[in-house]
Amino acid sequence: MTDHSAGNRSVDQLKNLIQQRKARVGIIGLGYVGLPLALLFSDQKFAVTGFDIDQRKVDTIAQGGSYIYRINADEIKSAKAKGFSATSDYSQIVDMDAVIICVPTPLNQYHEPDLSFITDTTHAIAPHLQPGQLVILESTTYPGTTEEVMVPILEKENKSGLKAARGSSEKDFFVAFSPEREDPGNTTVARRDIPKVVGGVNPRASDLAGALYGSIFHRTIPVSSPAAAEMTKLLENIYRCVNIALVNELKLLCLRMGIDIWEVIEAASTKPFGFHPFYPGPGLGGHCIPVDPFYLSWKAKEWDFRTRFIELAGEINTNMPYHVLASVGGALNGHKKSLNGARILILGVAYKRDIDDLRESPALTIIELLQKEGAQVGYHDPYFPFIGKGRKYDLQMKRTELDHLGLYDCIVIVTDHSDYDYRKIVSEAQLVVDTRNATKGIDSPKVVRC
């Protein structure tokens, strides 16, 4: 080991290493959160090692390639030139000064938190833990996970009897939680301009985590504890979940009343105070908004508390793909056609516009629902030539190209990618069901907005 090895490191030494950009940073989980974070640290001249159990990702980085559409290969090559590397060998954790965990936190089949990625990662870290190391969890989870789940594993399974720093002993390691705030596809806010919330198990852990993130983000926001930081992340996403549920419900009412909900939202958005626009859609997708409310409602039961408002919002949003199914069936019926046997093309399967992310995408549910009703379903998405098997789906579908649109009984716009020429699509299609208002301004009897 070098002269600032984990075993010899003090709090002041670690802080100095961070300030001098000499701290070695390990990032576990090189997905949509971890890889961009690794590149930020690398850009600031930190030596970064990425850890991932997916050997395909490790090999791609080793070859100077990228597996995320919005991160090009040149960024990877530039980071590699500055010392960025990837590995599946967790024994290299021993050489890290700071370890940041960015692994998935999905729901299981009962809509309960699945912490297996966090616990498996923690078990893998613990044997290699060193005095003075800083361990930070970024994965979205319920309040208490850091101190109630992660810390006990680290303390029990490390080989030197180390404890998470709460006192002043230098035979400690430091633990904090800092929620990720990635927004895939957002090109208006630079990543380093997004403030970073940090909550440590004690003030020294918060100080160290704040120093680490302060080296790559323009602003850090300290809070009193990991639980407060964990709750902050849930509030941010539940706020969006509840408001999207509100406009989804209003959309259903407006459809019955013959009112354009998009016109209403646009008009309401002119109010310079007290209103922030949210938009309806075919259901929620992504790694946070469809999942986070269930993490909190599950944890709330421990306190004999039911989060009725949050659960209702989740119910409304979860039901939106079924509304799309009914709308497609009704639109076909208006053309004297049955859903059973109909040829249907889904446009866009990513969970939001112009990204290559399928996580929790409502398109996957819509495809499965249509197939169960006997429809012959194809899809097109510029970012996905093939849809295989995931945690909750096994579609094994190859992308259909955008020719001969008139052969389909119905085109369903699920994700409104900018690449699509919607006027051309409407002109060539027999019938279009639009779940995103992508055909705004196109006046055609072929279009059914749902």
Side-chain angles (χ1 to χ4, degrees):
M1 287 190 178
T2 63
D3 59 356
H4 64 267
S5 65
N8 299 323
R9 188 194 305 107
S10 70
V11 176
D12 290 338
Q13 285 174 332
L14 178 52
K15 198 165 186 180
N16 286 336
L17 289 172
I18 292 170
Q19 292 169 346
Q20 295 169 19
R21 305 296 195 267
K22 294 181 180 179
R24 296 158 301 187
V25 180
I27 296 179
I28 301 177
L30 296 175
Y32 293 94
V33 174
L35 185 56
L37 185 65
L39 296 179
L40 278 181
F41 276 110
S42 180
D43 189 54
Q44 291 299 311
K45 309 298 191 272
F46 285 90
V48 182
T49 302
F51 296 82
D52 205 293
I53 59 174
D54 185 346
Q55 192 61 42
R56 179 186 65 87
K57 292 179 180 177
V58 173
D59 293 341
T60 301
I61 290 172
Q63 296 162 8
S66 175
Y67 42 84
I68 296 178
Y69 178 80
R70 60 197 172 91
I71 296 175
N72 61 53
D74 287 341
E75 292 180 78
I76 303 295
K77 292 172 184 174
S78 176
K80 282 175 61 62
K82 298 170 187 173
F84 174 48
S85 64
T87 181
S88 56
D89 179 9
Y90 279 68
S91 68
Q92 294 187 35
I93 292 291
V94 72
D95 294 321
M96 300 299 110
D97 297 297
V99 178
I100 303 175
I101 302 170
C102 307
V103 297
T105 46
L107 297 169
N108 66 19
Q109 60 181 323
Y110 305 109
H111 273 204
E112 296 172 340
D114 178 358
L115 298 185
S116 61
F117 291 93
I118 291 179
T119 55
D120 290 350
T121 298
T122 308
H123 286 300
I125 291 173
H128 311 293
L129 200 61
Q130 300 295 304
Q133 280 183 323
L134 172 63
V135 181
I136 303 172
L137 178 62
E138 284 210 6
S139 306
T140 304
T141 185
Y142 60 77
T145 301
T146 302
E147 294 180 274
E148 297 170 10
V149 176
M150 191 172 81
V151 168
I153 295 172
L154 293 175
E155 291 184 331
K156 180 179 180 181
E157 297 186 11
N158 76 80
K159 298 177 180 179
S160 304
L162 304 177
K163 300 296 181 183
R166 295 181 177 86
S168 59
S169 171
E170 296 299 344
K171 291 293 186 182
D172 293 332
F173 58 92
F174 304 95
V175 178
F177 181 85
S178 181
E180 59 87 4
R181 281 175 162 173
E182 275 292 306
D183 185 15
N186 187 337
T187 58
T188 60
V189 181
R191 289 190 184 98
R192 59 174 36 94
D193 289 332
I194 302 171
K196 204 74 169 75
V197 175
V198 175
V201 298
N202 76 341
R204 291 190 303 157
S206 289
D207 186 42
L208 286 170
L212 182 66
Y213 284 120
S215 65
I216 62 169
F217 291 98
H218 290 150
R219 186 183 178 199
T220 58
I221 312 295
V223 294
S224 61
S225 66
E230 289 160 341
M231 183 65 91
T232 297
K233 174 63 174 177
L234 293 183
L235 173 59
E236 293 170 5
N237 287 321
I238 290 169
Y239 167 77
R240 293 184 64 192
C241 175
V242 167
N243 280 282
I244 291 170
L246 172 64
V247 295
N248 273 334
E249 189 166 62
L250 286 176
K251 176 180 78 171
L252 299 180
L253 175 60
C254 284
L255 284 169
R256 294 193 184 189
M257 297 177 70
I259 298 171
D260 184 348
I261 183 63
W262 299 90
E263 178 187 11
V264 171
I265 294 171
E266 184 177 354
S269 297
T270 62
K271 185 179 180 182
F273 57 90
F275 182 84
H276 181 82
F278 291 84
Y279 300 96
L284 291 181
H287 63 295
C288 285
I289 300 176
V291 173
D292 294 358
F294 295 100
Y295 269 70
L296 187 58
S297 59
W298 179 85
K299 183 64 174 178
K301 292 180 175 66
E302 181 180 327
W303 304 93
D304 196 24
F305 190 92
R306 184 180 174 191
T307 54
R308 292 176 294 171
F309 200 72
I310 297 170
E311 290 171 16
L312 178 59
E315 179 183 328
I316 291 170
N317 290 326
T318 299
N319 283 333
M320 292 311 295
Y322 295 88
H323 164 68
V324 175
L325 176 69
S327 297
V328 172
L332 286 168
N333 188 57
H335 282 229
K336 296 183 171 56
K337 294 181 180 179
S338 168
L339 186 56
N340 189 351
R343 296 191 65 192
I344 296 174
L345 180 66
I346 301 294
L347 285 190
V349 294
Y351 83 82
K352 67 185 251 189
R353 177 194 304 163
D354 299 342
I355 65 169
D356 62 333
D357 195 340
L358 273 179
R359 288 175 296 176
E360 307 294 332
S361 174
L364 304 174
T365 302
I366 291 167
I367 290 172
E368 290 180 330
L369 291 174
L370 289 168
Q371 289 177 335
K372 287 179 181 178
E373 292 298 321
Q376 301 175 43
V377 186
Y379 84 92
H380 181 277
D381 191 298
Y383 303 96
F384 296 98
F386 184 77
I387 303 175
K389 179 179 175 61
R391 285 176 59 85
K392 298 179 181 178
Y393 62 90
D394 187 7
L395 294 177
Q396 304 300 326
M397 296 175 67
K398 183 179 178 181
R399 177 172 62 198
T400 300
E401 296 310 313
L402 288 182
D403 48 14
H404 309 299
L405 293 182
L407 296 179
Y408 291 92
D409 297 300
C410 182
I411 310 292
V412 185
I413 301 171
V414 178
T415 308
D416 51 339
H417 290 308
S418 302
D419 291 352
Y420 291 137
D421 183 342
Y422 293 104
R423 288 191 178 277
K424 183 174 184 292
I425 289 167
V426 171
S427 69
E428 295 181 4
Q430 296 184 44
L431 175 65
V432 176
V433 173
D434 182 1
T435 73
R436 296 281 191 177
N437 201 35
T439 58
K440 177 183 178 181
I442 301 175
D443 186 14
S444 170
K446 298 179 181 179
V447 178
V448 174
R449 294 179 173 87
C450 82

